Amino acid sequence: MVSSAAHLLLLAMIILLLGSPAARAFQPVSKTGRTQWRGDARRLWFPLSCTDTCCQPPTPLSHRCCPPSVSMSTSASVLASGFTLIATCTFVVVVIVVLGQSQMGGDSEKLLDQESRAGAVPSAPVESALVSGYVRLNLSDYTWPLVLSRIRTLPAALASASPRTLTGLSLTTECSVNLEGHIDCACLSGYQWNATTCSHHRSCRAPHTHQPCSCLVFNHPEPESCQLLPPGEEGDPLISCLPAVPGNLSLNSPLQMPGDTLNLTLLISQEATNLSWFLRPPGSPRLVLLQPGTQVSLTSSRDQAALSITNMSHHWAGEYVSCFEAQGFKWNLYQVVRVPLKVTDVTRLPDQLSISCATSPGFQLSCCIPSTDPAYMAAWSPREDSKAFLLNTSGSQCLMLTVRRCPAADTTYTCDLQSQGLAPLRIPVSVTIIQDGDVTCPEDSLGVTWNVTKAGHVAQAPCPMNKRGVVKRPCGLDGVWGSIHSSCTDERLLALFARAKLLRAGQGRPEAEVPLILRELSGVVAGASSASDLLVAVGIMRCLAEVTTKARVQLARSAMENLLTTTDKILDMDTSSLWTPAQAKKPRVGSTLLLAVETLAHSLCPQDHPFTFSLPNVQLQTQLLGPTFPTDYKVSFSTRPPLQAQIPRHSLASLNHNGTQVSITSLVLQKLDHLLPSNYGQGLGGSLSTTPGLVLVISIMADGKTSTQGEVIMDFGHTKGTPHCVFWDHNLFQGKGGWSKEGCQAQAASTSPNTQCICQHLTAFSILMSRHAIPENPALTLLSQLGLGTSILALLMCLGVYRLVWRVVVRNKVAYFRHAALLNVVLCLLAADTCFLGAPLLPPGSRSPLCLAATFLCHFLYLATFFWMLAQALVLAHQLLFVFRQLSKHQVLPLMVLLGYLCPLGFAGVTLGLYLPRGQYLREGECWLDGKGGAVYTFVGPVLAIVGVNGLVLAMAVLKLLRPSLSEGPPTEKRQALLGVIKALLILTPIFGLTWGLGLATLLEEVSTVPHYIFTVLNTFQGVFILLFGCLMDKKVQEALRKRFCHTWPPNSIVSLVSCQLQILSRSEGVPQPSPKDMGTARS
């Protein structure tokens, strides 16, 4: 504005210049009376004359509207005291041409004034031009100069030109210098900054207003001004004085019930761009961007757009804003949505109470709701002998009720919540009065103070300061306190969890919110002191990982450091007090943490590579590969033992397309493998296996996408026993996750004694070893082979002996049954040992038919050996129990065959069908039953059971033989046969029982190498034991051999001498001599 005559003269010259013919040559003229609206132009054309209240431009613009002209009173109302105000003014010029008149003095001025006020059409032809000018006026005082409001005419020097009159002067922009030295420029009513200017300047820190882009911040004065908005429709004076908004926003219901789906629809009448949706929560000036998420879905077409939000709750109440650009301006449309609370949103403490009036005359109840809109009125009932007061906490409001006097009977207190237009919420709290004679739990001070509680009720106590939740302790029916259950969680962690869940649902900008939450989480997680804190921290990381994956957020170096710091602190939490109870609540918490860290770790910005970070439990190394890969990718970590990994060049070459940059992230997480669920896939050892204490995560990003294919070679250091190269498969066990060996194999390193793992995919790797692995001992292997060979020779000798003496030793039925069973034992054991000795020569694995066949035959034949021993024991038991009952060969022998072959065949077949589909039939690298999956117990179990039955039979036989009357029962020959059976079983049964007892012990217990040696000797020399104690110790066999060799071999032969010597020894011992008939039989 102007404070001197010179300034006024300058202003008049500017006005005249704008109205000159030269100026008009560059400015459009309204031929039809319609204004050309261009919101992005530097000079805005708008209607000509205005009054203070309504627009009355000349015809045909009678129904258009513009901001009111500035009068003295108007200027006084817009000026702020104490500020130097800079105003941008737009001048309105009317060009009047009157034909036939050379002078247009005061009368014409008076006529124009009357016509403009009355809205009449002037009698003279009027040529209207819309002219805009930019002038900086400095108001040194708060008075609008009257000279600027007067009608001005041209000087006499320009009398030849048409007269030009200034009929109105309107303020469009009000600027002031802020405290930072910048200039805040706000638009007055009816004006707005165009979209181009708005996109280049930041908004003022002004109170919330519905007018978009209404105030901008400029670093220095610029020739910019707010521009007139397009007018409303013609015909309605009220609408024509408002801007013509090119769109309409509607919704299905302004009142959304919890669980409903909100639908907002935007109908657009003009071409719109840069459409965005926002939510302004109740009481917050901040707009929250809405993006597609688990609850938010967005759709758009040419003439409409839609926003849909499922599962509405009080977190989604507030003002919804649809922001878009059209006609060069930014437009905001609004709808307010209310969502009432539900019962689960209200927190009661306690939700039930049992109290003894003798020990606690008064008590306190609380009813807390989140700070939300609409506002609720709360009240407690009944109110007798009580006092209610309001307590505000962070994010919630609590209505407390202090009951001074204990009620005489059981009472239900109700917290009534009411809001205008909504159904009331009634939250009951039952108070039980302990009467005389009731069973109660006494007062206790374990953890917190527990008052006297009635049996069958649950006592509740508040959480410590800065924690949210409740501590509960049940009182048993017998009046004994139960264990304490706490849901107390750090309020800061809960606040971060709520932000993370809303971000995942669709509220907020992921690229800005994820780093902020990670930064705050790294500082808060150190104070975690409960299992609930741990679960919430892992839940936050899970939400952030899901958001990062969906929105493709890239983390800066600082955000990655915060992530790794948080992970290190979580892995360092105490196992017994935090991890164990957390796993009891959610068994998959370890798997969830691994997936979250694995997802976030490869989200580093490309410009931040290479990146190395190391903490006690976390080590990270990243590398960005160029367009070419000259060598293999190698990485090593300083773990114990050192961990190394390598990706061959040929595996990376397939990822290089048109110079694509490839980033590789290698992450080591220590302790995490022991925190994962004990789930093992096919062919793995379950609880009999363990991992080395670390998990290696390798991921490859190519062109912004994660690659899961690629060969990786890992060296986990020296391992004992037979290791399994495994990875954590998150899809196993119905999504709970588990160890799997699919696509991985172990092999010996070429340059070291370590074991290498080769996998054909990328994920989280580790190595699975037997907890009690049998050390690889060449001496033990050699001893096993020698024992099997010796056993086979002994069994062949046993068959030879039976070939010579069979007809002599089977004269009675008992002897026949005994030697028939022993002969089948020899045959089965001979075939089994031969098969077992040759099995290592076959290719191992479930895909090898020969290996499967060898394992099945060994299982069947070894079981048959023991079932024939069982048949022998059962015959003995029958003869001892039923002394005078004769057995028929035709009846007993088929039963013995069925027991000796059909039963073991059934066990072997069921084992094959049950464990082979699970991948738990074959032992890793061997053709024998898997000792970890349970298949081997289908062999050891029946063997030990048979040994136990044989032991019982032997005990019964010994008791029978000690009875004197027994000798008077069966004949002497039959009695000697029974004694032979008893002697054989008495020796072989303990030996076999001890053998497989040791075998079972080596599978279940951690033992030294000595039991393994004893088991090998006893197991592999079974054929020798059968030859000695089952065959050669039988006196009938000895007599038959003596007769055979003493009469067959020449007298001077060694065999003859030995046989005769044995005969002499037998006679000296009183052994009965064979009859001549027997001798003849032996010769034949």
Side-chain angles (χ1 to χ4, degrees):
M1 291 134 244
V2 180
S3 57
S4 63
H7 291 136
L8 291 176
L9 180 60
L10 177 61
L11 175 62
M13 292 175 63
I14 294 175
I15 295 174
L16 295 177
L17 179 60
L18 291 173
S20 65
R24 282 191 296 162
F26 296 94
Q27 298 174 357
V29 177
S30 176
K31 302 286 187 182
T32 64
R34 294 238 175 225
T35 304
Q36 303 297 321
W37 301 105
R38 296 180 56 208
D40 56 351
R42 288 301 182 101
R43 298 291 184 266
L44 179 65
W45 306 95
F46 52 88
L48 297 182
S49 64
C50 297
T51 64
D52 291 341
T53 57
C54 185
C55 311
Q56 297 293 338
T59 305
L61 302 179
S62 57
H63 296 292
R64 297 290 177 174
C65 183
C66 69
S69 302
V70 176
S71 63
M72 187 177 301
S73 60
T74 305
S75 63
S77 64
V78 299
L79 298 181
S81 175
F83 286 90
T84 300
L85 201 63
I86 301 174
T88 302
C89 301
T90 302
F91 296 93
V92 184
V93 179
V94 177
V95 180
I96 301 176
V97 179
V98 181
L99 298 178
Q101 295 185 6
S102 58
Q103 299 289 336
M104 292 198 57
D107 292 339
S108 62
E109 296 174 3
K110 195 175 300 183
L111 177 63
L112 176 62
D113 181 70
Q114 293 173 357
E115 291 176 348
S116 62
R117 291 182 181 272
V121 180
S123 58
V126 178
E127 181 182 10
S128 61
L130 306 181
V131 184
S132 175
Y134 175 84
V135 179
R136 286 187 63 223
L137 302 178
N138 182 21
L139 285 177
S140 58
D141 53 18
Y142 306 118
T143 303
W144 182 262
L146 294 178
V147 68
L148 295 181
S149 299
R150 296 174 183 173
I151 298 176
R152 303 189 59 81
T153 58
L154 290 176
L158 300 177
S160 60
S162 300
R164 294 162 179 81
T165 305
L166 175 64
T167 62
L169 183 64
S170 300
L171 284 180
T172 65
T173 313
E174 183 182 65
C175 300
S176 62
V177 179
N178 58 29
L179 298 177
E180 299 175 355
H182 302 298
I183 303 173
D184 294 344
C185 292
C187 298
L188 299 183
S189 177
Y191 295 88
Q192 183 177 306
W193 293 104
N194 62 56
T196 304
T197 304
C198 190
S199 62
H200 289 84
H201 299 275
R202 59 186 176 91
S203 299
C204 306
R205 295 180 180 177
H208 163 55
T209 175
H210 279 184
Q211 185 177 359
C213 204
S214 60
C215 182
L216 300 180
V217 178
F218 295 86
N219 294 329
H220 51 79
E222 295 184 13
E224 298 282 349
S225 62
C226 298
Q227 300 180 14
L228 184 67
L229 291 169
E233 296 180 359
E234 299 182 10
D236 190 338
L238 295 178
I239 298 179
S240 62
C241 287
L242 298 175
V245 181
N248 178 46
L249 181 62
S250 61
L251 76 165
N252 55 345
S253 174
L255 179 61
Q256 296 287 322
M257 302 306 295
D260 288 352
T261 298
L262 171 67
N263 293 313
L264 287 101
T265 303
L266 173 65
L267 299 178
I268 308 172
S269 60
Q270 300 288 337
E271 182 179 359
T273 58
N274 298 332
L275 174 63
S276 300
W277 297 87
F278 296 90
L279 170 64
R280 179 178 286 107
S284 173
R286 187 174 64 94
L287 287 175
V288 179
L289 178 67
L290 299 179
Q291 297 193 105
T294 57
Q295 293 181 242
V296 176
S297 60
L298 303 175
T299 58
S300 62
S301 60
R302 182 176 179 181
D303 56 352
Q304 75 174 28
L307 166 69
S308 178
I309 302 176
T310 60
N311 195 21
M312 289 290 289
S313 65
H314 69 274
H315 297 290
W316 298 91
E319 184 180 57
Y320 285 83
V321 183
S322 176
C323 180
F324 60 95
E325 294 182 11
Q327 298 178 291
F329 292 98
K330 285 189 175 183
W331 303 90
N332 288 358
L333 298 180
Y334 305 85
Q335 287 286 358
V336 177
V337 175
R338 303 172 67 194
V339 183
L341 296 175
K342 54 184 178 180
V343 176
T344 55
D345 295 329
V346 183
T347 303
R348 298 168 291 171
L349 185 63
D351 54 13
Q352 64 171 1
L353 177 65
S354 67
I355 189 171
S356 172
C357 296
T359 58
S360 302
F363 53 88
Q364 190 176 75
L365 306 176
S366 66
C367 175
C368 300
I369 63 174
S371 299
T372 182
D373 185 72
Y376 278 87
M377 300 294 294
W380 280 101
S381 62
R383 290 287 304 273
E384 291 81 5
D385 299 321
S386 61
K387 177 183 179 182
F389 61 95
L390 187 64
L391 179 64
N392 290 322
T393 60
S394 59
S396 64
Q397 297 176 336
C398 297
L399 181 64
M400 313 297 295
L401 179 68
T402 301
V403 180
R404 299 188 182 94
R405 183 179 300 176
C406 184
D410 297 348
T411 305
T412 298
Y413 291 84
T414 304
C415 178
D416 295 318
L417 300 173
Q418 294 184 352
S419 182
Q420 185 177 3
L422 300 178
L425 280 179
R426 299 179 62 86
I427 312 299
V429 178
S430 60
V431 178
T432 303
I433 305 302
I434 300 175
Q435 307 293 341
D436 294 339
D438 290 343
V439 179
T440 61
C441 291
E443 187 176 352
D444 193 13
S445 59
L446 180 61
V448 296
T449 300
W450 301 101
N451 295 324
V452 177
T453 303
K454 188 175 181 179
H457 287 248
V458 178
Q460 301 179 22
C463 293
M465 187 176 296
N466 299 326
K467 286 186 176 290
R468 196 181 307 167
V470 63
V471 185
K472 295 184 178 181
R473 192 180 186 187
C475 177
L477 297 177
D478 54 355
V480 178
W481 284 110
S483 58
I484 298 176
H485 304 279
S486 173
S487 62
C488 297
T489 310
D490 193 301
E491 289 183 345
R492 297 170 298 175
L493 285 174
L494 289 176
L496 291 177
F497 197 20
R499 287 171 55 186
K501 289 191 292 186
L502 289 177
L503 185 64
R504 181 181 59 181
Q507 286 192 27
R509 302 178 185 271
E511 62 277 4
E513 286 293 321
V514 170
L516 289 177
I517 295 177
L518 284 175
R519 184 183 63 186
E520 296 181 33
L521 181 60
S522 64
V524 174
V525 75
S529 58
S530 66
S532 299
D533 291 342
L534 173 58
L535 292 174
V536 170
V538 174
I540 294 172
M541 299 183 68
R542 182 195 67 223
C543 291
L544 297 183
E546 295 175 4
V547 171
T548 301
T549 301
K550 187 171 184 178
R552 294 189 177 184
V553 177
Q554 293 182 337
L555 301 179
R557 183 183 296 259
S558 58
M560 185 62 66
E561 291 178 353
N562 291 328
L563 165 67
L564 299 177
T565 301
T566 301
T567 305
D568 179 74
K569 293 177 181 178
I570 292 178
L571 293 176
D572 206 36
M573 291 182 180
D574 185 72
T575 303
S576 59
S577 62
L578 295 181
W579 273 102
T580 300
Q583 290 171 330
K585 295 180 180 179
K586 291 188 176 180
R588 65 179 71 181
V589 58
S591 180
T592 303
L593 176 63
L594 174 60
L595 181 60
V597 177
E598 184 179 351
T599 303
L600 292 170
H602 60 68
S603 303
L604 187 67
C605 295
Q607 59 269 23
D608 288 329
H609 292 281
F611 177 63
T612 302
F613 193 80
S614 179
L615 288 172
N617 300 310
V618 179
Q619 296 185 44
L620 176 71
Q621 295 186 32
T622 69
Q623 185 174 344
L624 187 65
L625 304 181
T628 59
F629 311 126
T631 58
D632 298 345
Y633 168 78
K634 296 182 179 180
V635 64
S636 61
F637 295 93
S638 57
T639 57
R640 293 184 180 180
L643 174 63
Q644 299 178 356
Q646 174 184 348
I647 301 179
R649 181 178 180 274
H650 65 81
S651 183
L652 298 171
S654 60
L655 302 175
N656 185 15
H657 301 288
N658 300 324
T660 302
Q661 287 187 335
V662 177
S663 64
I664 303 179
T665 302
S666 302
L667 174 67
V668 172
L669 301 172
Q670 303 199 68
K671 300 181 181 180
L672 180 58
D673 54 335
H674 296 159
L675 303 175
L676 294 170
S678 299
N679 298 332
Y680 300 89
Q682 295 182 0
L684 301 178
S687 60
L688 298 177
S689 301
T690 184
T691 47
L694 57 86
V695 174
L696 171 63
V697 179
I698 297 180
S699 59
I700 296 179
M701 294 288 292
D703 195 20
K705 298 180 180 179
T706 304
S707 175
T708 58
Q709 300 299 321
E711 179 181 347
V712 57
I713 304 172
M714 297 159 287
D715 189 339
F716 286 91
H718 181 65
T719 57
K720 296 181 180 180
T722 304
H724 295 276
C725 296
V726 294
F727 72 97
W728 187 258
D729 190 347
H730 294 278
N731 298 321
L732 288 180
F733 300 97
Q734 293 79 40
K736 296 179 182 178
W739 292 111
S740 173
K741 62 177 182 179
E742 190 71 25
C744 295
Q745 62 179 358
Q747 70 176 19
S750 57
T751 59
S752 66
N754 300 342
T755 300
Q756 285 186 343
C757 290
I758 301 178
C759 295
Q760 303 302 323
H761 50 76
L762 302 174
T763 181
F765 303 101
S766 190
I767 191 168
L768 203 62
M769 303 171 296
S770 174
R771 288 184 189 271
H772 317 304
I774 302 175
E776 296 182 2
N777 194 330
L780 197 62
T781 304
L782 179 61
L783 180 61
S784 177
Q785 295 174 352
L786 290 176
L788 287 173
T790 305
S791 180
I792 292 173
L793 292 177
L795 293 172
L796 290 174
M797 290 177 62
C798 189
L799 289 178
V801 170
Y802 274 126
R803 173 68 179 81
L804 296 174
V805 302
W806 179 257
R807 296 181 60 183
V808 177
V809 298
V810 294
R811 290 191 171 184
N812 57 68
K813 294 180 180 179
V814 175
Y816 178 81
F817 293 144
R818 177 222 168 173
H819 289 288
L822 190 60
L823 178 62
N824 282 276
V825 168
V826 171
L827 291 174
C828 292
L829 189 59
L830 177 62
D833 284 347
T834 304
C835 184
F836 194 82
L837 185 63
L841 303 177
L842 302 177
S846 59
R847 298 183 180 179
S848 173
L850 294 178
C851 185
L852 285 174
T855 304
F856 178 80
L857 287 176
C858 288
H859 187 197
F860 164 67
L861 292 172
Y862 278 124
L863 274 181
T865 300
F866 287 91
F867 272 96
W868 275 105
M869 291 181 63
L870 176 63
Q872 188 180 23
L874 292 178
V875 170
L876 173 63
H878 181 273
Q879 292 300 309
L880 293 175
L881 293 175
F882 308 100
V883 178
F884 300 102
R885 182 174 296 181
Q886 298 295 325
L887 294 175
S888 173
K889 292 182 180 181
H890 300 290
Q891 294 178 354
V892 175
L893 191 60
L895 293 177
M896 295 178 66
V897 172
L898 290 176
L899 179 63
Y901 288 113
L902 188 61
C903 288
L905 184 63
F907 274 99
V910 170
T911 302
L912 179 67
L914 185 62
Y915 288 98
L916 182 61
R918 301 180 184 177
Q920 300 175 346
Y921 183 70
L922 292 178
R923 182 175 296 182
E924 182 71 20
E926 299 180 22
C927 295
W928 180 236
L929 298 175
D930 186 9
K932 301 172 182 177
V936 74
Y937 297 108
T938 62
F939 171 70
V940 177
V943 165
L944 294 180
I946 291 173
V947 170
V949 172
N950 289 358
L952 293 176
V953 172
L954 287 175
M956 181 182 64
V958 172
L959 293 176
K960 287 286 186 179
L961 290 176
L962 292 177
R963 293 175 56 187
S965 60
L966 184 63
S967 60
E968 302 174 1
T972 304
E973 185 177 0
K974 185 177 180 180
R975 185 171 181 271
Q976 289 179 353
L978 291 175
L979 288 175
V981 176
I982 293 173
K983 288 180 181 179
L985 291 177
L986 191 62
I987 296 175
L988 293 179
T989 298
I991 292 177
F992 287 176
L994 177 62
T995 300
W996 291 106
L998 286 173
L1000 185 62
T1002 57
L1003 292 174
L1004 300 178
E1005 301 293 336
E1006 183 177 3
V1007 293
S1008 63
T1009 58
V1010 175
H1012 292 286
Y1013 276 98
I1014 299 176
F1015 171 73
T1016 301
V1017 171
L1018 294 178
N1019 188 36
T1020 57
F1021 284 89
Q1022 287 179 0
V1024 178
F1025 299 144
I1026 291 176
L1027 174 65
L1028 293 177
F1029 304 109
C1031 182
L1032 295 181
M1033 286 188 63
D1034 187 271
K1035 289 187 177 182
K1036 286 289 186 181
V1037 174
Q1038 292 178 8
E1039 292 174 3
L1041 289 176
R1042 283 197 304 268
K1043 294 176 184 179
R1044 179 85 176 182
F1045 288 107
C1046 286
H1047 294 82
T1048 302
W1049 295 93
N1052 57 350
S1053 65
I1054 299 177
V1055 176
S1056 178
L1057 292 175
V1058 173
S1059 300
C1060 294
Q1061 183 66 27
L1062 290 174
Q1063 184 178 1
I1064 295 172
L1065 292 174
S1066 299
R1067 289 176 180 175
S1068 64
E1069 294 175 359
V1071 178
Q1073 299 298 316
S1075 63
K1077 184 178 179 181
D1078 293 336
M1079 295 295 293
T1081 303
R1083 290 192 189 99
S1084 63

